[in-house]
């Protein structure tokens, strides 16, 4: 398992230049539909996302960090992403992360994945490979994915609703124990996937996020790409 | 873990290198920033019209919450549609051109791939306040566009765009008489803020009004071609 490393802070920093700032993780659609209106509803939204799409992403990231074949994981990510809009976004974000990571932690594995998937591999898979290049292990990779699953929407809602930024940060802090749990489960599943195959990885999904992502992609006017 | 010597390939993965992977000189990238409504899109359109017969050009727009700039350029048919790309900026236009340039770099790369080799890529910012500037990792030179209707105190107030842009454009001079703006005073203030850096006064409403900007772009391009392989 990974040792504690500051590289995780660099990777999980919201300012890491990998394109995340243009995405709300479904929060923009939820705000428009009136499902996120304040700190409490933001917390419910983030909790739902963490335990579904977040857990799935964390499992993929942990598996890539553990050294499972990234192309197999990329196919597994496709199978776990029914929404075409979200597939496209995940690949685009994966490509952007690859760009930033090849400057930060150059690695032959990243070069090889970039060559095999020039339009981008799924972001969680790339994230796991980047974690590996940065000397981090599966658990750290799962943490980065789990944190991203909730920090993106929280930041977006501060912009969308002018929500008090202290309240948004308090939401993230309250979710920290659940992020611990999700990361641990994801890392554990990644190790099982070595023996049992990729089906051992989490495949949670949030149908409403998939449906609203498709609708959001068709809006003529929006602040965020997803 | 594979460690790279930072000096061996200083630009290897950062895309600011002046050459393409095959060693040829990549397109010159020029950013256009400045407040909303100052005339950035109009300048891009005018530059495309006047330069498209001599240069291979593409445009990236960074709209804040619509695709209007890109759609305007498409409607005006200043370039074929495959040469114009809109980047979504997530409610934060300056982030996309300065702090996290990955989406813009991707757009530039895709345009090169689909329509290249290109001579010139124009990147229009979504329009922001006076502090927004382009990262050097994204563009080779930047133009900051303000207009006389925004008030004649903007050059005096300075800010990174006004003071450091490679070219300051003061647009809509045709409106100066109507808004009671002192152009000579603006020129003096700009000089005080910018020293030797150039300033162009333009009216895109006039025939060939973009000429001073076009001439500057030609100079930059000549310098770019002369230095890079
Ligand atoms: N009178 C006048 N109007 C201009 C000039 N340049 C641009 N405009 C108009 O100003 C408005 C905003 O221009 P636009 O290029 O969209 O600004 P942007 O937000 O900076 O891209 C449009 O209606 C233009 O037609 C100019 O030199 N004179
Ligand atoms: Mg514009």
């Amino acid at each position: 398992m990974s040792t504690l490393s500051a590289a995780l802070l660099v990777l999980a920093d919201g300012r890491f230049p990998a394109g995340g700032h243009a995405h709300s993780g479904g929060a923009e659609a939820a705000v428009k539909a009136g499902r996120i209106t304040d700190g409490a509803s933001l917390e419910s939204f983030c909790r739902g996302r963490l335990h579904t799409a977040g857990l799935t992403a964390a499992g993929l990231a942990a598996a890539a960090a553990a050294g499972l074949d990234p192309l197999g994981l990329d196919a597994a990510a496709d199978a776990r992403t029914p929404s075409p809009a979200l597939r496209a976004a995940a690949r685009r974000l994966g490509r952007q992360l690859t760009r930033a990571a090849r400057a930060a932690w150059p690695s032959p594995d990243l070069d090889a994945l970039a060559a095999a998937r020039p339009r981008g591999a799924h972001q969680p898979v790339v994230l796991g490979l980047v974690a590996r290049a940065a000397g981090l292990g599966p658990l750290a990779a799962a943490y980065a994915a789990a944190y991203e699953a909730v920090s993106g929407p929280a930041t977006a809602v501060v912009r969308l609703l002018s929500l008090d930024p202290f309240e948004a940060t308090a939401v993230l802090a309250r979710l920290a124990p659940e992020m611990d749990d999700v990361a641990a489960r994801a890392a554990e599943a990644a190790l099982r996937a070595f023996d049992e195959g990729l089906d051992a990885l989490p495949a949670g999904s949030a149908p409403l996020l998939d449906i609203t992502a498709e609708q959001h992609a068709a809006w003529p006017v929006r602040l965020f790409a997803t | 873990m594979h460690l790279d010597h930072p000096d061996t390939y200083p630009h290897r993965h950062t895309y600011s290198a002046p050459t393409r992977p095959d060693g040829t000189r990549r397109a010159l990238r020029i950013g256009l920033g400045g407040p909303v409504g100052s005339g950035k899109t109009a300048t891009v359109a005018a530059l495309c019209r006047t330069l498209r017969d001599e240069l291979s050009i593409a445009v990236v727009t960074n709209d804040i919450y619509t695709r209007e700039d890109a759609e305007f350029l498409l409607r005006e048919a200043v370039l074929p549609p495959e040469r114009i790309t809109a980047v979504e900026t997530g409610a934060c236009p300056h982030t996309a051109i300065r702090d996290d340039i990955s989406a813009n770099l991707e757009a530039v790369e895709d345009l090169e791939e689909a329509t290249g080799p290109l001579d010139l890529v124009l990147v229009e910012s979504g329009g922001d306040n006076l502090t927004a500037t382009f990262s050097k990792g994204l563009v080779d030179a930047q133009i900051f566009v303000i207009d006389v209707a925004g008030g004649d105190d903007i050059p005096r107030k300075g800010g990174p765009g006004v003071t450091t842009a490679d070219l300051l454009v003061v647009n809509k001079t045709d409106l100066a008489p109507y808004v009671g703006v002192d152009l000579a005073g603006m020129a003096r203030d700009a000089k005080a803020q910018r020293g030797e850096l150039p300033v162009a006064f333009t009216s895109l409403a006039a025939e060939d009004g973009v000429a001073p900007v076009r001439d500057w772009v030609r100079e930059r391009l000549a310098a770019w071609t002369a230095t890079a392989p």
Side-chain angles (χ1 to χ4, degrees):
Chain A
M1 270 289 152
S2 65
T3 48
L4 198 58
S5 165
L8 176 58
L9 302 180
V10 178
L11 180 58
D13 189 335
R15 286 165 297 189
F16 194 82
H21 70 94
H23 295 260
S24 79
E28 183 168 28
V31 164
K32 179 84 167 284
R35 283 189 290 274
I36 300 179
T37 55
D38 55 11
S41 45
L42 171 65
E43 184 167 337
S44 306
F45 177 90
C46 287
R47 176 170 289 113
R49 190 163 198 267
L50 174 64
H51 289 280
T52 53
L55 175 63
T56 303
L60 292 163
L68 272 86
D69 169 37
L71 294 179
L73 288 168
D74 196 47
D78 256 343
R80 285 160 174 74
T81 314
S83 153
L86 292 183
R87 281 190 192 183
R91 291 196 179 279
R92 163 158 290 189
L93 284 168
R95 185 173 167 195
Q96 291 179 250
L97 176 57
T98 304
R99 183 187 302 279
R102 289 171 85 190
W105 296 287
S107 121
D109 291 346
L110 280 173
D111 292 350
L113 182 58
R117 292 281 180 276
R119 311 292 305 171
H122 274 263
Q123 193 268 1
V125 179
V126 179
L127 182 62
L129 216 57
V130 173
R132 189 174 169 83
L136 297 164
L139 182 61
Y143 261 106
Y147 178 60
E148 231 172 50
V150 292
S151 63
T155 311
V157 169
V158 169
R159 295 188 199 158
L160 289 163
L161 284 180
S162 301
L163 183 73
D164 182 342
F166 300 124
E167 208 173 336
T169 299
V171 165
L172 296 179
R174 279 197 295 277
L175 288 170
E178 289 175 58
M179 288 186 246
D180 291 336
D181 177 53
V182 163
R185 281 162 57 203
E188 186 261 332
L191 295 185
R192 265 195 296 119
F194 257 113
D195 303 324
E196 297 170 25
L198 299 184
D199 287 352
L201 294 176
S205 77
L208 195 55
L209 282 181
D210 294 330
I211 293 164
T212 58
E214 288 300 310
Q215 294 165 344
H216 181 266
W219 292 6
V221 174
R222 56 178 187 241
L223 281 174
F224 291 88
T226 62
Chain B
M1 184 167 32
H2 168 78
L3 290 179
D4 215 29
H5 194 285
D7 297 327
T8 319
Y9 304 103
H11 303 293
R12 184 166 152 200
H13 299 302
T14 60
Y15 302 86
S16 52
T19 50
R20 303 189 177 98
D22 66 4
T24 58
R25 179 178 41 80
R26 66 159 169 77
L28 176 70
R29 303 195 292 242
I30 294 182
L32 291 99
V36 175
S38 61
K40 297 180 295 299
T41 305
T43 303
V44 167
L47 283 173
C48 290
R49 284 195 196 98
T50 170
L51 289 170
R52 66 190 171 197
D53 290 338
E54 61 189 87
L55 298 173
S56 177
I57 308 177
V59 173
V60 178
T61 64
N62 280 256
D63 285 327
I64 304 180
Y65 47 82
T66 66
R67 299 172 47 86
E68 258 175 50
D69 283 350
E71 274 156 17
F72 174 85
L73 296 172
L74 290 170
R75 225 173 25 248
E76 295 285 302
V78 300
L79 289 177
E82 65 274 14
R83 288 175 178 263
I84 302 170
T85 296
V87 164
E88 284 178 297
T89 60
C92 219
H94 59 262
T95 304
I97 61 162
R98 188 185 57 203
D99 311 83
D100 183 350
I101 56 177
S102 51
N104 270 294
L105 283 173
E106 186 181 289
V108 171
E109 206 173 89
D110 286 350
L111 284 166
E112 274 265 11
E113 208 177 285
T115 65
L118 298 166
D119 300 307
L120 177 67
V121 179
L122 301 172
V123 184
E124 180 187 340
S125 99
D128 212 308
N129 58 40
L130 298 173
T131 66
T133 51
F134 284 83
S135 163
K136 290 190 172 72
L138 177 59
V139 301
D140 305 297
Q142 49 193 306
I143 303 175
F144 201 73
V145 184
I146 60 175
D147 67 10
V148 301
D152 53 9
D153 54 350
I154 291 183
R156 181 169 47 73
K157 285 184 187 158
V162 166
T163 48
T164 66
D166 300 290
L167 174 68
L168 176 67
V169 172
V170 183
N171 187 34
K172 307 192 191 177
T173 53
D174 53 301
L175 300 181
Y178 306 105
V179 290
V181 153
D182 169 20
L183 291 177
M186 281 182 99
R188 267 194 312 278
D189 291 342
K191 171 92 186 144
Q193 291 283 355
R194 294 173 53 77
E196 293 309 308
L197 288 171
V199 182
F201 285 82
T202 56
S203 166
L204 299 177
E207 181 74 22
D208 203 26
V210 80
V213 185
R214 179 196 57 214
D215 294 346
W216 178 85
V217 169
R218 280 207 187 110
E219 277 170 36
R220 296 298 301 212
L221 204 59
W224 176 252
T225 315
T227 55

